Amino acid sequence: MKIEIDSDITKAKTIPSKFYHSPKIYRKLKKLFDRSWQFIGDTNLLKKNNTHPGILLEGMVDEPYILTKDKDNIRCLSNVCTHRGNIVCNDSCNTKTLVCGYHGRQFEINGKMKFMPEFDNVTNFPNKNDDLPQIEMEFWENLIFVTNEKKCDLSELIRPMTERLDWLPVGEFKYKPELFRTYKVSANWALYCDNYLEGFHIPFVHKDLNKELEYENYFTQGIENTILQIGIGKDGENTFDLPENHQDYGKNVAAYYFFLFPNMMFNFYPWGLSINIVKPKSPEYTEIEYFTYVWKEELIGKGAGGDLDKVELEDGEIVESVQKGVKSNSYDRGRYSPKREIGVHHFHSLLQKYYK
Ligand code: FES
Ligand SMILES: [Fe+2]
């Protein structure tokens, strides 16, 4: 299937509905996700232990990785044994040596193979192909991002966000593990993103949130691989104290919502940051992980970022309802509101650009 989205939103039609349920299209998306940057946590993952295994976007990218720390050096390595492909490390632990549980191959914490039983007389062994390969990793403050196939620097992807927020002390925000959540939605990952990318549904779906926001002034802009939405608070609501020279100074900014293509959401509220990672698990099932970083504890629970659980459940319900609709034989493509669906149109245009 070819995605064709007219760059003129007044003429454009939305993505063919097949995109939201076809297993064949879902499988082809692996390449797009392989090339994306993915947030996997922060440097605190290596505070107690010096190893932390994981699987990059399980259900889509499926790349086993392991974060390791030796002295102050953090690396992301492949967690696949270079002998016969077993997963080397299953749990976070503190160790000097990674030992594969299948036939006992040992690796240094930097990935170098250091010992293998019963391998006398093997020619040209060990060589660098026997070491655990590195996986590309970059940081924003203490937040860790990795990619399976690096196509651009992380800084390039996040620039629209970091420039706009250069006055926020993101490095000082505190991660709250007790506020970590996984939401499960029986719908395609891109439907979930579509829904996130417009404020159009707020008055219909989020009646409480709508009381906090000034709907007429909701702002959306697509900037390269980022989509920015700004929620403007009603007078008296909780808003940011912006520096005088800031481009948004004078506006009642209640929330900055940054979408980083294809599946990361960085939501900044006066209390701090909620990172939502949309994890495609299968064509019609998605999990969304919420990571919470607190800046001003006393503001939690207030304003547009107040009751995120409620907003999330309302979104989950509507997106599941749409999933049933897009599978119908009688629906294929819709049209966009030029005023209210700029973000959705930009997202679909990026899918057209990167889905090959
Ligand atoms: S697969 Fe790891 S030692 Fe054989
Ligand atoms: Fe919503």
Side-chain angles (χ1 to χ4, degrees):
M1 185 195 73
K2 246 188 122 189
I3 300 175
E4 273 167 3
I5 307 294
D6 201 304
S7 58
D8 179 349
I9 192 170
T10 64
K11 297 198 177 114
K13 282 186 181 165
T14 60
I15 280 198
S17 58
K18 185 156 85 182
F19 187 87
Y20 300 111
H21 57 86
S22 150
K24 197 171 148 205
I25 291 171
Y26 184 86
R27 280 193 297 276
K28 265 186 78 180
L29 281 164
K30 178 177 186 318
K31 204 160 146 197
L32 181 153
F33 276 95
D34 268 342
R35 295 173 171 183
S36 68
W37 280 105
Q38 294 296 324
F39 168 77
I40 57 166
D42 65 67
T43 50
N44 285 311
L45 290 173
L46 296 160
K47 213 165 158 185
K48 271 204 211 101
N49 294 317
N50 70 343
T51 61
H52 182 87
I55 294 180
L56 188 55
L57 281 193
E58 192 168 12
M60 175 54 82
V61 171
D62 285 319
E63 188 64 56
Y65 65 84
I66 179 166
L67 291 172
T68 70
K69 182 170 165 182
D70 96 72
K71 297 190 189 93
D72 279 335
N73 239 327
I74 295 179
R75 289 185 179 81
C76 186
L77 304 170
S78 161
N79 194 15
V80 178
C81 181
T82 48
H83 176 222
R84 294 246 306 278
N86 184 35
I87 300 299
V88 178
C89 180
N90 291 302
D91 298 301
S92 207
C93 66
N94 221 334
T95 182
K96 276 204 176 97
T97 309
L98 305 170
V99 184
C100 175
Y102 200 0
H103 316 94
R105 181 168 289 197
Q106 297 182 10
F107 303 90
E108 314 260 11
I109 210 76
N110 64 11
K112 199 163 175 44
M113 200 215 79
K114 67 171 178 188
F115 176 71
M116 179 67 188
E118 314 291 355
F119 256 52
D120 298 342
N121 301 326
V122 176
T123 59
N124 188 23
F125 180 86
N127 69 48
K128 66 174 185 358
N129 294 330
D130 302 302
D131 301 338
L132 295 173
Q134 301 248 6
I135 292 178
E136 293 283 353
M137 174 188 65
E138 284 173 30
F139 297 91
W140 178 41
E141 300 292 345
N142 60 344
L143 308 180
I144 307 174
F145 298 78
V146 297
T147 177
N148 224 6
E149 206 186 314
K150 186 171 163 179
K151 286 285 166 194
C152 73
D153 290 336
L154 174 70
S155 58
E156 199 182 311
L157 171 68
I158 66 177
R159 190 171 3 95
M161 175 168 80
T162 51
E163 277 179 5
R164 197 135 189 154
L165 302 177
D166 59 356
W167 54 280
L168 266 186
V170 175
E172 290 167 24
F173 292 10
K174 291 259 168 325
Y175 179 60
K176 296 279 176 187
E178 67 277 19
L179 297 179
F180 177 81
R181 300 266 189 284
T182 303
Y183 295 98
K184 299 168 193 256
V185 179
S186 294
N188 182 268
W189 70 278
L191 270 190
Y192 186 88
C193 296
D194 287 354
N195 174 70
Y196 171 87
L197 289 167
E198 42 95 350
F200 197 8
H201 68 276
I202 294 176
F204 303 97
V205 177
H206 308 300
K207 301 232 158 46
D208 285 342
L209 173 61
N210 196 42
K211 291 181 196 143
E212 319 271 347
L213 292 177
E214 199 71 76
Y215 181 68
E216 270 316 304
N217 295 330
Y218 198 84
F219 170 90
T220 309
Q221 187 187 9
I223 318 162
E224 293 153 35
N225 292 349
T226 297
I227 295 154
L228 164 63
Q229 297 173 90
I230 302 179
I232 302 292
K234 295 205 169 129
D235 281 339
E237 287 305 335
N238 242 290
T239 53
F240 282 104
D241 228 339
L242 295 163
E244 270 179 42
N245 56 0
H246 194 271
Q247 67 187 115
D248 299 321
Y249 182 74
K251 291 184 191 150
N252 266 340
V253 177
Y256 284 104
Y257 307 101
F258 285 92
F259 175 81
L260 307 182
F261 186 79
N263 67 326
M264 299 194 291
M265 298 157 179
F266 283 67
N267 308 307
F268 294 85
Y269 304 102
W271 57 257
L273 164 64
S274 169
I275 303 177
N276 312 155
I277 305 300
V278 179
K279 299 195 155 182
K281 296 287 176 185
S282 71
E284 298 185 66
Y285 176 66
T286 303
E287 290 182 0
I288 302 97
E289 291 186 350
Y290 270 53
F291 300 81
T292 302
Y293 289 85
V294 174
W295 179 28
K296 294 183 175 170
E297 195 102 31
E298 68 281 9
L299 297 180
I300 292 183
K302 299 199 173 126
D307 198 349
L308 294 181
D309 275 329
K310 181 164 189 283
V311 174
E312 178 59 40
L313 295 176
E314 291 164 346
D315 280 326
E317 216 173 287
I318 195 78
V319 169
E320 288 182 353
S321 163
V322 179
Q323 184 69 33
K324 291 186 190 128
V326 291
K327 286 180 78 180
S328 152
N329 268 349
S330 53
Y331 177 83
D332 188 21
R333 306 177 72 179
R335 303 291 300 275
Y336 302 97
S337 155
K339 180 167 177 203
R340 295 288 178 191
E341 291 174 302
I342 295 166
V344 187
H345 177 252
H346 194 82
F347 175 53
H348 292 176
S349 306
L350 290 172
L351 285 172
Q352 161 178 281
K353 181 171 172 192
Y354 293 110
Y355 173 81
K356 293 271 147 55

